[in-house]
Amino acid sequence: MNTKNARVLVVDDETDVLFAVKMLLKTEVKEVVTEKNPENLLSLLSKQAFDVIFLDMNYKSALNTGNEGFFWLNKILEKDKNATVVMITAYGDVELAVRALKEGATDFIVKPWRNEKLLEALEKACAGRTSGEHAGKNASRRVPSSEGFDMLGQSEAMQDVFYKIDKIAPTEANVLILGENGTGKELVARALHQKSFRAGKPFICADLAALSEGLFESELFGHKKGSFTDAKEDRTGRFEAANGGTLFLDEIGNISLPQQAKILTALQNRLVIPLGSNQQIPIDIRLVSATNVPIYELAAKNQFRKDLIYRINTVEITLPPLRERGEDVILLARHFAAHYAEKNHKPIPYMSDGALKKLKQHSWPGNIRELQHAVERAIILADGPELRPQDFAFSAMEHPVHAGTHPEMAEEGPLQLSEVERTTIMRVIERNKGNISKAAKELGITRTALYRRLEKHDI
């Protein structure tokens, strides 16, 4: 829908806000109706249809919980489940934004806003109404990366992540990304950069865990020629290289207290001093940090500076482990299968029901990285166009066999006898590269008996 043809309703208890919005929109839309009392909402909706409704989240209550806004949002959607509602509040709480989206809102804006932001929200709302799109928790979303893979997800947990990326990226807020190894923290950092106003400027990544004490300052802040033994030429540090763009500090939870103090000083003063120099270099960066360690527990033990946490986590994004993402495992597995089939000049394979079941049952301690490697290996070693359970082997690094532990009992937790039998059969078949005759011989049973067990265990 063209905004010029839109009828817009604005509900807010501040007269000044209503007047300002009406003045802004009166030349942009067909009609603007303002209402100070939300109690009149249902009556208004009974008399007239509106294309977009801007709804304030807080009215009489002194607490800015947004509960009143959610109450009226639900009332609107009870009357018209396809209503296009943009929530507005004076408090930029991302968690409220996520909740609003879950409960059926189309978008969320923070006041005071820049006029172009409100107009952009209106345009998006009208465009979504035209195409019939409505942001729902089961929608499939992609955040492109420059690494050759997309962030994919249909799960509710990933919809929250995607929504936060969309809301946070256009701001200047520093972001802390939390999550286990292999969950895609760098992809989120890149997505935040690509969707920000700094997208045309550098994205600089620094793996802090890989920097020794001796190289830490040189890598981050730079050095001048001759400042230490191996300093044979001037070097620009990561902070200066990221000037105007985004600096991604990965594994920030692994650095020492003295290193934390140096980063804090650079962030507070917004300048760096290269080793061997007295010159202060101003920096203009957007900071994104990530860690897989329990950083708040470290802070409670005085192993991580609380004042640094306040600097790096204006907003947090927590990435769910793959085991909590449901059907996303299959979505990602098929995505990786198509990628690696093309890369290795093979047809895109079909995954058998048994293979899908095996992937869904696995706990994925290595998360997406483990899944990616498992699918790549399966594509390379598979004999035909179908991927079967035996084509998938899970990394020994993620499932170490401890001394004195039988390989079939390597998985954590108690196992039933049938589980041990199933695991043993799959590993023997894999060791014999799918040759049933050799596998049956190694197991000490006939081919017929092995086939019965394959059917029994759905292998």
Side-chain angles (χ1 to χ4, degrees):
M1 168 184 287
N2 190 314
T3 56
K4 293 291 184 183
N5 297 322
R7 287 184 168 88
V8 177
L9 172 63
V10 185
V11 186
D12 195 298
D13 59 352
E14 295 182 44
T15 306
D16 290 346
V17 170
L18 294 177
F19 179 79
V21 175
K22 189 160 190 173
M23 290 300 99
L24 174 65
L25 296 185
K26 69 177 184 177
T27 59
E28 302 291 334
V29 300
K30 185 172 184 177
E31 181 181 5
V32 185
V33 175
T34 60
E35 177 54 58
K36 185 175 180 181
N37 185 358
E39 298 285 346
N40 297 329
L41 245 176
L42 298 184
S43 174
L44 276 170
L45 295 177
S46 297
K47 298 174 183 175
Q48 183 177 354
F50 294 95
D51 300 299
V52 179
I53 301 169
F54 285 92
L55 177 66
D56 190 30
M57 296 187 73
N58 296 293
Y59 295 90
K60 298 174 184 176
S61 173
L63 297 176
N64 295 289
T65 60
N67 288 337
E68 295 151 308
F70 289 124
F71 172 81
W72 291 111
L73 171 64
N74 289 325
K75 287 292 184 183
I76 292 169
L77 295 176
E78 283 175 14
K79 192 168 186 62
D80 178 5
K81 64 180 181 180
N82 295 316
T84 300
V85 184
V86 178
M87 307 297 281
I88 53 179
T89 182
Y91 293 83
D93 190 325
V94 174
E95 297 304 324
L96 281 182
V98 172
R99 182 182 165 195
L101 180 69
K102 286 182 183 178
E103 297 199 13
T106 302
D107 204 349
F108 182 102
I109 60 173
V110 179
K111 59 180 180 182
W113 54 71
R114 298 199 307 270
N115 287 344
E116 59 267 28
K117 278 290 178 187
L118 189 141
L119 293 174
E120 180 183 321
L122 173 65
E123 188 175 341
K124 283 171 60 180
C126 290
R129 191 171 180 85
T130 302
S131 63
E133 293 176 1
H134 196 274
K137 64 184 180 181
N138 295 319
S140 179
R141 293 283 308 279
R142 291 177 179 235
V143 175
S145 86
S146 61
E147 298 295 289
F149 292 113
D150 291 338
M151 287 183 64
L152 302 178
Q154 293 178 330
S155 62
E156 183 174 352
M158 286 307 296
Q159 291 305 303
D160 287 354
V161 171
F162 292 143
Y163 189 78
K164 287 182 179 181
I165 290 172
D166 287 344
K167 282 296 168 187
I168 297 166
T171 73
E172 289 294 298
N174 290 339
V175 183
L176 176 62
I177 306 169
L178 304 174
E180 296 177 7
N181 278 333
T183 49
K185 295 188 287 296
E186 185 175 343
L187 289 182
V188 172
R190 289 185 180 276
L192 288 167
H193 175 69
Q194 291 166 8
K195 289 173 170 282
S196 75
F197 295 113
R198 297 174 179 261
K201 299 297 177 68
F203 175 87
I204 303 296
C205 178
D207 183 356
L208 300 185
L211 300 181
S212 65
E213 286 282 349
L215 289 176
F216 185 83
E217 284 187 81
S218 172
E219 285 291 325
L220 294 186
F221 309 133
H223 65 247
K224 304 300 286 184
K225 180 180 178 180
S227 57
F228 54 89
T229 304
D230 292 327
K232 297 178 180 178
E233 59 184 6
D234 291 354
R235 179 185 180 89
T236 301
R238 306 291 177 91
F239 272 80
E240 186 181 354
N243 204 36
T246 302
L247 177 62
F248 176 49
L249 298 182
D250 199 7
E251 305 295 356
I252 197 168
N254 295 81
I255 61 177
S256 66
L257 286 169
Q259 291 172 334
Q260 293 170 31
K262 290 168 184 173
I263 288 180
L264 178 61
T265 299
L267 294 176
Q268 285 177 332
N269 298 331
R270 299 198 70 80
L271 56 84
V272 295
I273 303 174
L275 288 175
S277 171
N278 294 321
Q279 181 184 0
Q280 297 180 341
I281 301 175
I283 54 168
D284 171 25
I285 62 166
R286 200 268 184 89
L287 182 69
V288 179
S289 308
T291 184
N292 65 338
V293 302
I295 199 166
Y296 295 105
E297 292 180 21
L298 294 180
K301 298 175 183 176
N302 294 320
Q303 295 174 359
F304 200 95
R305 296 181 63 118
K306 293 178 183 177
D307 48 0
L308 179 55
I309 291 180
Y310 296 141
R311 283 281 173 183
I312 66 177
N313 79 332
T314 306
V315 184
E316 288 177 11
I317 296 178
T318 300
L319 291 180
L322 187 55
R323 62 183 172 274
E324 295 178 6
R325 291 179 54 181
E327 292 296 318
D328 283 356
V329 173
I330 304 307
L331 180 71
L332 288 163
R334 287 181 168 141
H335 178 67
F336 289 136
H339 173 81
Y340 286 114
E342 181 180 356
K343 181 179 178 181
N344 292 284
H345 312 290
K346 291 190 171 188
I348 296 176
Y350 167 76
M351 291 191 186
S352 69
D353 291 342
L356 295 176
K357 183 177 179 181
K358 181 176 182 178
L359 294 177
K360 286 192 282 189
Q361 288 178 339
H362 187 53
S363 61
W364 301 110
N367 292 295
I368 299 169
R369 190 177 295 128
E370 183 187 359
L371 173 62
Q372 179 183 339
H373 291 163
V375 173
E376 181 180 17
R377 183 180 184 278
I379 292 291
I380 292 170
L381 296 180
D383 292 327
E386 181 181 60
L387 294 181
R388 298 165 297 171
Q390 57 266 36
D391 292 320
F392 290 95
F394 303 129
S395 171
M397 291 188 294
E398 305 295 348
H399 309 274
V401 180
H402 301 290
T405 304
H406 194 266
E408 282 72 42
M409 300 298 291
E411 295 281 344
E412 293 182 3
L415 293 179
Q416 301 297 322
L417 181 60
S418 62
E419 292 175 314
V420 175
E421 182 182 69
R422 185 178 191 275
T423 302
T424 303
I425 290 170
M426 289 175 63
R427 294 189 177 184
V428 171
I429 289 174
E430 181 185 348
R431 187 158 52 241
N432 288 280
K433 298 180 180 178
N435 188 310
I436 297 299
S437 297
K438 290 182 179 179
K441 185 176 180 179
E442 182 175 334
L443 289 166
I445 58 177
T446 65
R447 279 170 51 93
T448 303
L450 178 53
Y451 277 120
R452 282 200 300 270
R453 283 169 170 78
L454 292 176
E455 183 177 357
K456 170 187 172 184
H457 293 295
D458 195 21
I459 298 175

